[in-house]
Amino acid sequence: MTNTRIAAVDVGNDSVKALFGKSDYELNMPNVIARDREDRPVIGIEDLHQKDPLDGLHIRVHSPALQDNNAIYRVGNLATKSDNATELDPGSSKSEEDQSLVMLFASIALDAARENSGFEVKNNVIDASYTLGTGLPLREVKEGKDVGFRSQLLGSVHQVEFLVTPKHQGKKVNIKFEEVKVYPEGFAAFINLVMDNEGKIINRDLIDKQILIQDIGGLSTDIAVIRNRNVDDDKAQGFNLGVSESLEAIREEIRSRHGVELDTRRDVVDIITKKNDRNHIMVKGSRTSVHDITDRILLDLAKKEYRHLRNVWQKNSQTEICYFVGGGSMVLKDYLKTLNNNLDGYNIDFFEDEKESIWMMANAYHKLISDFVRKNSKEAAPKKSEAKAASK
């Protein structure tokens, strides 16, 4: 495996965002899996290879890192249509869930199987080598779970076999990691604010300030305290509080009150954040408001998130600004702004560009792992020239 490719993968609770190479390929798919059988039925099988692999991702995954090895899954868009679809549960640890690894391997295999990925296909087998940048919630990093997570990935070959998948059916991808970097999610958000794609500082006003970054995810909330350009490990805090439980509560109340089944949490997010007819669903063909349900549940969550902000800020009184990032911040933005305006009025900020906020972690991992590769290449270059000189 001579060719090593960069992978930056953010396994978010709602979806997986990944960037590969020099950002020449990106993918975004729901973090949903469903156990399946090998010969899943397909209507119009003869048209299978005309479809997008992301819409028909059907795989077998073999890895010593998995508790349930050699299992077969529908993944992403295909899994959302299954009755037995599973999403990460509130209270679970991302570093210890098979689902996180299945999503990670699936996204990398999709990149490796592409025609212009740079990897050769021999007898339908692709040997793919990657340098990976990814992240875990601050709480899990502080507990040392990043060490075990990294060691599971390094030193083993992880295989993804495409079963009834458009364009890739029958291919096997053997994934080997040359290096794995696991970053705390809050620190990654800070890096994205101050570093460009070439590793240069772009926001000098920010790097010497004391700031907070509150990253609201599906399963957890991280509040990173940044001072002297580093995360203060003692002051930074992680909480088992995210938007997933609230999204589930909204989904359940819509089901019980209106008899409408929403397939996944992403469907709930779409209802809350869509540009037109926000907080409305169709009930028997009639446009129906669910504003009272979403407002009550999300305002309650926003109050809890704001309480965490207030407590951390009080312990770090010289903080100048708090940036809210992550998919959960997009869901709670209006409620948090209203609370802040009505109460103490901290200096807080959001990323109005929805894509920028959602892709922030993947972008940060890509910047960090690319910078790591660049520095390693520069260090390796003199050694090669020294070896050449010695051989003369």
Side-chain angles (χ1 to χ4, degrees):
M1 299 181 192
T2 54
N3 180 28
T4 298
R5 189 160 159 82
I6 285 175
V9 185
D10 171 24
V11 183
N13 176 69
D14 174 64
S15 64
V16 174
K17 282 78 63 179
L19 293 163
F20 298 96
K22 294 182 178 179
S23 297
D24 51 81
Y25 178 59
E26 66 176 49
L27 67 81
N28 185 351
M29 61 179 170
N31 188 351
V32 184
I33 62 174
R35 290 295 293 269
D36 201 14
R37 62 189 194 189
E38 188 167 348
D39 57 340
R40 73 176 180 92
V42 177
I43 298 170
I45 186 73
E46 64 279 1
D47 298 325
L48 180 68
H49 294 307
Q50 305 303 316
K51 297 176 181 175
D52 188 335
L54 275 171
D55 292 329
L57 191 50
H58 181 233
I59 59 175
R60 187 200 317 268
V61 189
H62 171 78
S63 167
L66 295 170
Q67 296 173 44
D68 199 354
N69 204 354
N70 281 323
I72 294 170
Y73 300 98
R74 296 181 180 212
V75 178
N77 296 331
L78 187 65
T80 62
K81 300 164 188 167
S82 301
D83 293 334
N84 61 331
T86 61
E87 300 174 80
L88 291 174
D89 294 323
S92 64
S93 292
K94 193 186 289 188
S95 59
E96 297 172 342
E97 293 288 332
D98 268 8
Q99 181 159 340
S100 299
L101 292 172
V102 169
M103 297 303 299
L104 175 70
F105 297 147
S107 63
I108 290 173
L110 279 170
D111 175 66
R114 291 166 54 248
E115 284 184 11
N116 54 350
S117 67
F119 299 117
E120 288 184 29
V121 184
K122 292 182 181 176
N123 300 320
N124 260 0
V125 176
I126 301 163
D127 288 329
S129 175
Y130 282 87
T131 300
L132 173 67
T134 189
L136 289 173
L138 193 61
R139 173 181 53 84
E140 293 185 49
V141 174
K142 287 184 80 170
E143 291 170 2
K145 291 180 179 177
D146 57 320
V147 178
F149 184 72
R150 180 175 179 271
S151 65
Q152 283 186 105
L153 297 175
L154 282 170
S156 298
V157 175
H158 317 276
Q159 186 184 81
V160 174
E161 179 184 356
F162 292 104
L163 301 174
V164 190
T165 300
K167 295 185 174 65
H168 303 319
Q169 186 170 10
K171 293 178 187 175
K172 292 180 180 178
V173 180
N174 295 321
I175 302 166
K176 187 172 187 295
F177 295 107
E178 293 300 315
E179 181 56 273
V180 174
K181 293 290 186 182
V182 182
Y183 304 104
E185 290 175 346
F187 173 67
F190 171 68
I191 288 297
N192 198 60
L193 288 170
V194 300
M195 181 191 285
D196 68 9
N197 291 327
E198 304 303 317
K200 295 172 183 168
I201 299 297
I202 53 173
N203 196 337
R204 295 203 169 273
D205 290 341
L206 200 58
I207 57 175
D208 293 322
K209 287 182 178 179
Q210 180 171 314
I211 66 172
L212 303 181
I213 296 177
Q214 186 154 342
D215 177 17
I216 304 175
L219 304 177
S220 63
T221 293
D222 287 342
I223 306 183
V225 181
I226 312 289
R227 58 160 63 96
N228 299 324
R229 309 184 189 189
N230 291 299
V231 175
D232 187 323
D233 292 331
D234 295 325
K235 299 284 188 178
Q237 293 191 47
F239 306 94
N240 279 325
L241 179 69
V243 296
S244 291
E245 216 161 337
S246 297
L247 296 177
E248 286 291 350
I250 291 169
R251 184 162 68 165
E252 176 57 29
E253 192 159 336
I254 287 174
R255 187 197 64 76
S256 62
R257 194 188 298 188
H258 298 289
V260 172
E261 293 278 0
L262 299 171
D263 293 333
T264 66
R265 295 170 196 151
R266 176 175 270 200
D267 294 328
V268 182
V269 172
D270 288 343
I271 290 165
I272 296 164
T273 59
K274 62 186 177 182
K275 297 288 186 288
N276 300 316
D277 290 338
R278 183 174 295 184
N279 293 309
H280 282 78
I281 60 172
M282 297 304 293
V283 180
K284 297 178 181 178
S286 298
R287 182 173 166 275
T288 304
S289 172
V290 289
H291 220 294
D292 57 331
I293 298 173
T294 58
D295 269 1
R296 174 170 43 81
I297 293 172
L298 292 180
L299 180 59
D300 183 56
L301 175 60
K303 287 177 180 176
K304 293 174 183 175
E305 292 284 359
Y306 195 82
R307 197 174 302 130
H308 284 315
L309 168 67
R310 188 177 60 220
N311 291 340
V312 173
W313 201 308
Q314 283 176 346
K315 293 172 185 173
N316 299 277
S317 60
Q318 297 309 296
T319 296
E320 294 188 48
I321 189 169
C322 175
Y323 288 95
F324 281 90
V325 302
S329 293
M330 295 305 297
V331 171
L332 296 176
K333 179 171 69 173
D334 292 341
Y335 302 98
L336 288 166
K337 281 183 174 180
T338 300
L339 284 170
N340 192 55
N341 290 338
N342 293 340
L343 296 169
D344 309 69
Y346 291 110
N347 185 17
I348 65 174
D349 201 3
F350 294 80
F351 291 87
E352 301 303 328
D353 184 331
E354 188 172 334
K355 184 175 179 182
E356 184 183 2
S357 183
I358 291 170
W359 279 87
M360 178 168 286
M361 293 303 166
N363 284 329
Y365 301 150
H366 192 268
K367 290 175 182 179
L368 285 162
I369 200 66
S370 298
D371 193 50
F372 167 79
V373 169
R374 265 193 305 272
K375 286 175 179 172
N376 265 30
S377 299
K378 286 176 183 175
E379 287 173 11
K383 290 176 185 174
K384 285 182 183 176
S385 58
E386 284 164 19
K388 197 178 281 185
S391 66
K392 287 180 181 178

